[in-house]
Amino acid sequence: MIKLLNWFRRGAIERSLDREIQYHFDRRVADLASAGISEPEARRRVAIELGLAQVHEEVRDVWLTRWARDFVYDLRFSARSLLRSPGFTAATLLSLALGIGATTAIYSLVDQVILHALPVRDPSRLVLVDWNGDSVVGGFGSWNLMSYPFCRDLQQQTRFFDGVLCRAEIQVNLSAGGDPKPVAAEIVSGSYFSVLGAGPALGRVIEADDDAAPGAGPVVVLSYDFWRAEFGGATDITGRKVLINQHPMTVIGVAASGFRGVDVGAVPALWIPASMHAEAIPGSKDLLNRPTIWMQVLGRLRAHLTSAQAQAGLQPWFKTWLEDNLHRPGFPIITADRRRDYFASTLELTPAPQGHSPLRRSLSQPLWVLFAATGVLLGLACLNVAGLYLARGSARGREIGTRLALGASRGRIGRQLLADSILLALGGGIFGIALAPLAMHALIGFLPRDVTANALRATVSPQLLGFAFLASLAAGLLSGLAPALHAGSENLISSLRERGGTVFGGIRLRKCIVTLQVAFSLILVVGAALLCARSPACSPRAPASTARG
C-alpha cells in the first residue's frame, strides 16, 4: 500500500531524492577538495564512486515506479502487436468475450436472487421466524407461515427484537377510475416499514395506527415503479381514492424508489395494512384467528444478540404461548400423539438479510450449478487462449530470441506475454459486458413473466462491472500464465525456432480440450434443464401448500 501511495506522490518524492543525493554528492566533493584534489577531478571521482544513475534506478525500483512504467510500455507494445495480428486478436477476443459474458450473466442472476441483501436499514440483523414442529392448524400461503396474532404477541418480546413485522403476498383487483385489473400486493403489519427502515418517496408509509384494529386503516402505499408506470409519477397522488376489490381506500404515499419489498420474485404494486384483511382477501375472516397461519414473520434482532442466542432465549416464552394457545377457543381437537408433537415444537430463527423468497428457495441450486459450469467453461476458454498464445509464439520466435540475445531477462519476456493476455482479457471483458444483458434476457425468459416482470432485471450494475473486471483480470492471468512461465526457457526457444508444437499446444492436449469443452457443455445443458425443471415456467403449477416447506 505504501508503494502504491508513493507511486501517486512520485513527483514530490523524486524532488526529495534529488536533494538528498545532491547533499551527499556535495559533502563528498568537499571532503576530496579538502584533501587537495581539484574540484573538477573531485566531482568526476564522486560521480563514478556513487554511481548516481544506478542509485536513481535502484530507488525507483523500490518505489515500484519502474515496474509500473515497464508495464505501461508493455501494454503499448502489446496493443501495437495485436493490431498487426487481427485474426488472432479477433479469435481470442471472441473466445474470452463469450466466456466472460456467460459467467457475468449467470452471476447477475445469482446476485439478484441469492446474494443481494435487501436495501433496508442494517439487513444483517433481520431474521425469519419459523415454526419447527407440528402446528396442528391449517392455513394458506407458501412456507414459513405464522398467524397474525402470533406476530402481535412476538412484538412484545423486546428483550430479543427491536421490532417484528409480518407480511403476506396476495393479489387484489385495483381500480383507479377505470376497469379493475389484478395486481400483486402485500398485506403487512403496521410495523412493516418502520422495522425495515424503509421511508416514503412521497407522503407517508403505513404506521402502527393504521393497523390498530380490524378496519382501522383503509389506506394503501404504492410502490415507486407502479406509481411511475400506472400514474405517470403524479405528484398529487397522495389523497387519491382507489378501489381495492371494490372497497374504497386512500393512497397515503409512495415507497422509496430503491425499496421493492422483502420477496425477490414477487414485487408488489402496493401495500395494504393487515387491518384491512377482510377487504383485501374477500370472504376471509381469519385476521384474529390464532389457528389460521398465512403470514411470514421477520424480526430485527437487538444489536447485542445473535440469532442463536435469541432463538434459545425465546423457547421458554414459546412453550408458554403453546400452552395458552391450546386452551383458546377455536383450537382443533387433536390426539394425544399430536398433542405431544405440538408441545415438542420450537421456534427457529434464520438469518434473512436477503428477505423471504420462494424464488430463491427453488432456484438456488440450479443457479449455483450453472454458475459453476460457466466458471469452468471460462477456465477452458482461458486454456484454449493459452494454446493460441503458444501457437502464436512460433511466429514470434525470432523476435523473442533477438530480445533474449540483447539481454532481456526471462522475467521481462514473461511480463510482456502476460501484458498481451491481460490486455486481450480486458478487451474480452468489455465485449462480454456488452453481451451479458442479452444472455440475461434469455435466462430470465425461462422464468414465468408474472414472477420476473418486475423482480429480475437485465441491467449492468456497478457490482456487475466490478465482477466482470475481476473475471477479466483472472482470465488474463490464467490464459497468459503458461506462456509467461515458459518464456525464455531453452526448450521453448528451441521449439519456437523449429516451429514445433509445445506441451501446451500439442495435438493430444488440443483433443483433450475439445473433449472437456463437450463434457462441460453437456453440464451446462443439464444445468439449464435443472433450472427449467425447478422453474414454475416448465413444471405444472401446484396449488398453494398449506404445509410448511
Side-chain angles (χ1 to χ4, degrees), residues 200-211:
L202 285 176
R204 68 176 181 88
V205 293
I206 294 172
E207 299 172 350
D209 291 342
D210 300 314
D211 190 32

Side-chain angles (χ1 to χ4, degrees), residues 243-302:
L243 295 179
I244 303 295
N245 297 333
Q246 301 302 317
H247 295 280
M249 296 189 188
T250 304
V251 177
I252 59 172
V254 177
S257 60
F259 181 70
R260 310 174 75 203
V262 298
D263 190 348
V264 175
V267 179
L270 49 90
W271 290 270
I272 305 170
S275 63
M276 307 307 295
H277 166 269
E279 291 77 12
I281 307 177
S284 179
K285 305 292 182 183
D286 296 330
L287 179 62
L288 300 179
N289 187 1
R290 288 178 174 267
T292 302
I293 56 175
W294 59 288
M295 306 186 83
Q296 287 87 35
V297 176
L298 290 93
R300 178 176 292 281
L301 292 175
R302 285 196 170 274

Side-chain angles (χ1 to χ4, degrees), residues 144-452:
N144 293 107
L145 300 177
M146 297 289 188
S147 68
Y148 177 75
F150 173 85
C151 176
R152 298 293 293 265
D153 293 341
L154 192 63
Q155 287 175 350
Q156 308 306 315
Q157 301 304 306
T158 55
R159 290 173 49 206
F160 308 103
F161 298 107
D162 281 334
V164 173
L165 66 90
C166 51
R167 47 82 66 184
E169 177 191 353
I170 61 173
Q171 190 175 71
V172 299
N173 290 315
L174 169 69
S175 176
D179 294 333
K181 64 177 181 178
V183 297
E186 233 178 7
I187 187 166
V188 300
S189 62
S191 58
Y192 180 86
F193 286 95
S194 61
V195 171
L196 294 176
L202 285 176
R204 68 176 181 88
V205 293
I206 294 172
E207 299 172 350
D209 291 342
D210 300 314
D211 190 32
V219 297
V220 298
V221 172
L222 304 178
S223 70
Y224 188 89
D225 292 339
F226 185 74
W227 167 62
R228 294 292 299 270
E230 296 296 325
F231 297 93
T235 56
D236 60 347
I237 189 64
T238 56
R240 288 194 194 181
K241 296 288 185 180
V242 295
L243 295 179
I244 303 295
N245 297 333
Q246 301 302 317
H247 295 280
M249 296 189 188
T250 304
V251 177
I252 59 172
V254 177
S257 60
F259 181 70
R260 310 174 75 203
V262 298
D263 190 348
V264 175
V267 179
L270 49 90
W271 290 270
I272 305 170
S275 63
M276 307 307 295
H277 166 269
E279 291 77 12
I281 307 177
S284 179
K285 305 292 182 183
D286 296 330
L287 179 62
L288 300 179
N289 187 1
R290 288 178 174 267
T292 302
I293 56 175
W294 59 288
M295 306 186 83
Q296 287 87 35
V297 176
L298 290 93
R300 178 176 292 281
L301 292 175
R302 285 196 170 274
H304 63 283
L305 288 178
T306 64
S307 58
Q309 292 171 334
Q311 178 174 308
L314 281 170
Q315 300 310 319
W317 169 82
F318 186 56
K319 296 298 182 184
T320 303
W321 187 90
L322 291 174
E323 179 70 31
D324 181 66
N325 196 46
L326 180 67
H327 297 94
R328 287 182 176 272
F331 193 87
I333 299 174
I334 56 176
T335 64
D337 289 340
R338 293 203 69 185
R339 181 189 294 261
R340 184 177 60 254
D341 293 340
Y342 171 74
F343 279 113
S345 299
T346 57
L347 278 186
E348 185 176 349
L349 303 186
T350 306
Q354 294 89 14
H356 171 277
S357 176
L359 184 67
R360 180 185 305 115
R361 183 182 177 92
S362 63
L363 296 186
S364 292
Q365 182 179 357
L367 282 177
W368 282 123
V369 169
L370 285 178
F371 184 64
T374 53
V376 173
L377 185 62
L378 177 59
L380 290 175
C382 294
L383 184 60
N384 197 25
V385 170
L388 290 176
Y389 279 129
L390 290 175
R392 181 175 179 252
S394 63
R396 300 180 63 187
R398 184 174 300 175
E399 172 201 333
I400 295 175
T402 302
R403 295 180 67 183
L404 287 170
L406 291 176
S409 65
R410 295 179 181 182
R412 188 71 182 84
I413 298 296
R415 289 200 302 270
Q416 176 64 65
L417 297 177
L418 199 59
D420 290 353
S421 64
I422 291 177
L423 184 62
L424 276 175
L426 291 177
I430 294 174
F431 286 111
I433 281 290
L435 295 174
L438 299 177
M440 283 185 272
H441 276 298
L443 290 169
I444 293 174
F446 280 102
L447 301 175
R449 292 190 178 276
D450 60 337
V451 172
T452 60

